[in-house]
């Protein structure tokens, strides 16, 4: 039904395909497929249990690769099955497009170019979020999504909800995913970044029809609730596992220590007092008993007080594994001073668990605050003395 695809050789050279999940989009699907097929014959469609005329539309395009199942399982499942099928067919990349007609096939060459410029990267098609007919709720939701993506990955981007994406399947591997609906696109994005895959954006066009013509399967209450729960879980995983893991990996590389020493400690655009204050404040925030929120609060307060964020975050990790038990034990010991005759000993016969902490909570809280203050002050004084000596020698040298 189409002439020779114009970019087929490029798709084949990069072992790339277009992946289109669809559910009850019979009214727009035909045009989307026709446009995509003008660029490549490597088009995979996942029929996610459609109950309209989708099957009849697909029959008109014999060159398609089709994955079908019933009943409808959600966009997340459709994408996951599409990824698995593409890997089985030997593809290294897929470019996902929505079947509702909002994406333009004319942007496919732009996505292909990203494979050459940034091989192995996950590329998101950044939309113009201020164009005509763009839903206001979508713009607000995208800002919220961008914020939580930054919290969980440290990356900033203009559009984290766009479905027009280039996925590096081989780099992603066969990760086991948990989400099945719209929230899957958040999960795969965050977990790919955690895996070390570069995430970047490239501008694409988008068409939003007038409200009366718009077809959406997004269920605001149910889907927003699922996305909220997912973001909550991702934040906890970030600060309880990902951040400590990344810190350990960072500290194990000798070149990182040299770079940090030269750029963050010895650089001359900050005073010794400010650097020492950053180290002391990092120690304080690492010990203070606000578990799960220490790093987030550290970031916000270091910005507020204009401290060295790198030093604050580095030293705030003092209470992360494997140092956690030692900090807890030291906090209990420090708390004995405040408890007097009611002070208790921390028994390790059953290990450190929530029961032992609950029974001694007040002693622990008093002790951790005391330890945080003393540790922060001591770190401030010691680091100021060391910085004064080393930076003086460096200037003399």
């Amino acid at each position: 039904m189409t002439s020779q695809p114009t970019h087929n050789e490029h798709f084949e050279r990069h072992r790339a395909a277009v992946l289109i999940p669809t559910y009850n989009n019979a009214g727009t699907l035909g045009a989307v497929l026709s446009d995509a097929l003008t660029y490549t014959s490597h088009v995979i469609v996942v029929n996610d249990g459609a109950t309209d005329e989708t099957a009849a539309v697909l029959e008109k395009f014999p060159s398609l690769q089709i994955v079908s199942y019933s009943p409808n399982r959600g966009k997340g499942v459709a994408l996951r099955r599409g990824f698995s099928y593409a890997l089985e067919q030997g593809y290294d990349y897929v470019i996902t497009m929505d079947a509702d007609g909002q994406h333009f096939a004319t942007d496919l060459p732009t996505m292909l170019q990203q494979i050459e410029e940034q091989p192995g990267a996950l590329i998101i098609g950044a939309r113009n979020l201020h164009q005509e007919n763009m839903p206001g709720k979508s713009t607000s939701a995208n800002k919220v999504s961008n914020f939580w993506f930054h919290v969980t990955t440290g990356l900033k981007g203009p559009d984290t909800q766009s479905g027009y994406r280039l996925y590096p399947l081989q780099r992603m591997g066969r990760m086991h995913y948990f989400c099945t609906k719209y929230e899957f696109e958040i999960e795969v994005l965050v977990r790919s970044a955690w895996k070390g895959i570069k995430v970047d954006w490239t501008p694409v066009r988008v068409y939003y029809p007038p409200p009366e013509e718009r077809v959406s399967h997004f269920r605001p209450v149910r889907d927003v609730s699922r996305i909220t729960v997912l973001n909550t879980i991702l934040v906890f995983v970030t600060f309880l596992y990902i951040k400590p893991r990344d810190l350990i990996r960072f500290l194990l590389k000798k070149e990182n220590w040299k770079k940090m020493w030269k750029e963050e400690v010895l650089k001359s655009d900050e005073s010794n007092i400010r650097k020492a204050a950053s180290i002391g404040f990092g120690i304080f925030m690492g010990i203070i008993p606000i578990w799960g929120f220490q790093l987030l609060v550290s970031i916000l307060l270091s910005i507020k007080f204009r401290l060295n964020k790198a030093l604050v975050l580095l030293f705030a990790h003092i209470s992360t594994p494997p140092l956690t038990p030692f900090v807890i034990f030291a906090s209990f010991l420090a708390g004995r001073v405040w408890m007097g005759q009611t002070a208790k000993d921390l028994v390790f016969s059953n290990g450190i668990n929530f029961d032992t902490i609950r029974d001694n909570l007040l002693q622990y809280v008093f002790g951790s605050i005391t330890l945080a203050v003393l540790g922060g002050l001591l770190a401030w004084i010691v680091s100021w003395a060391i910085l004064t000596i080393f930076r003086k020698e460096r200037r003399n040298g």
Side-chain angles (χ1 to χ4, degrees), residues 260-307:
M260 184 175 61
W261 180 256
K262 291 180 180 179
E263 296 183 3
E264 301 297 337
V265 178
L266 295 181
K267 66 180 182 181
S268 58
D269 58 345
E270 288 180 337
S271 66
N272 292 341
I273 293 179
R274 185 174 295 275
K275 288 181 183 295
S278 301
I279 294 173
F281 183 71
I283 295 292
F284 172 82
M285 290 304 306
I287 300 175
I288 204 74
I290 52 173
W291 295 93
F293 299 94
Q294 290 163 312
L295 296 183
L296 178 61
V297 175
S298 297
I299 294 173
L300 297 176
L301 291 180
S302 63
I303 295 174
K304 173 69 175 178
F305 298 133
R306 298 181 180 179
L307 299 174

Side-chain angles (χ1 to χ4, degrees), residues 143-309:
K143 291 180 180 178
V144 173
S145 179
N146 294 347
F147 169 78
W148 288 115
F149 179 71
H150 177 59
V151 171
T152 53
T153 66
L155 303 175
K156 290 185 177 181
D159 187 0
T160 54
Q161 291 193 319
S162 172
Y164 208 157
R165 301 182 179 185
L166 168 69
Y167 287 102
L169 298 183
Q170 293 296 332
R171 285 290 313 279
M172 291 163 60
R174 295 184 178 272
M175 287 192 292
H176 178 73
Y177 299 103
F178 301 95
C179 299
T180 61
K181 308 295 183 181
Y182 284 97
E183 73 277 7
F184 169 78
E185 290 183 298
I186 298 174
E187 179 193 7
V188 68
L189 195 59
V190 172
R191 292 183 61 191
S192 294
W194 287 351
K195 192 179 177 69
I197 296 173
K198 181 179 180 181
V199 178
D200 206 347
W201 288 260
T202 188
V204 297
R205 295 191 300 154
V206 64
Y207 169 70
Y208 275 98
E212 63 272 11
E213 300 178 12
R214 195 171 300 146
V215 177
S216 175
H217 303 296
F218 187 83
R219 300 162 298 180
V221 175
R222 186 176 300 181
D223 288 324
V224 168
S225 297
R226 295 171 71 97
I227 290 172
T228 301
V229 171
L230 174 62
N231 278 324
T232 301
I233 294 173
L234 292 176
V235 168
F236 274 103
V237 174
T238 296
F239 290 104
L240 295 179
Y241 172 67
I242 298 299
K243 292 296 184 181
R245 180 204 68 180
D246 291 345
L247 175 67
I248 292 174
R249 290 179 178 178
F250 178 88
L251 296 178
L252 290 178
K253 295 182 179 180
K254 185 177 180 180
E255 60 271 20
N256 288 335
W257 284 95
K258 293 181 178 179
K259 182 179 179 180
M260 184 175 61
W261 180 256
K262 291 180 180 179
E263 296 183 3
E264 301 297 337
V265 178
L266 295 181
K267 66 180 182 181
S268 58
D269 58 345
E270 288 180 337
S271 66
N272 292 341
I273 293 179
R274 185 174 295 275
K275 288 181 183 295
S278 301
I279 294 173
F281 183 71
I283 295 292
F284 172 82
M285 290 304 306
I287 300 175
I288 204 74
I290 52 173
W291 295 93
F293 299 94
Q294 290 163 312
L295 296 183
L296 178 61
V297 175
S298 297
I299 294 173
L300 297 176
L301 291 180
S302 63
I303 295 174
K304 173 69 175 178
F305 298 133
R306 298 181 180 179
L307 299 174
N308 186 309
K309 293 185 289 295

Side-chain angles (χ1 to χ4, degrees), residues 272 276 279-280 374-390:
N272 292 341
I279 294 173
L374 294 178
L377 289 174
L378 181 62
W380 189 350
I381 295 171
V382 172
S383 57
W384 175 80
I386 294 175
L387 286 168
T388 301
I389 295 172
F390 274 92

Side-chain angles (χ1 to χ4, degrees), residues 287 289 325-340 342-346 360-375:
I287 300 175
F326 300 100
V327 173
I328 293 177
F329 182 59
S331 298
F332 274 101
L333 291 181
R336 292 179 62 87
V337 176
W338 301 100
M339 302 306 295
T342 62
K344 299 179 181 179
D345 293 322
L346 183 61
N360 301 272
L361 182 60
L362 190 59
Q363 181 173 327
Y364 163 71
V365 170
F366 284 168
S368 60
I369 294 175
T370 302
L371 187 65
V373 172
L374 294 178

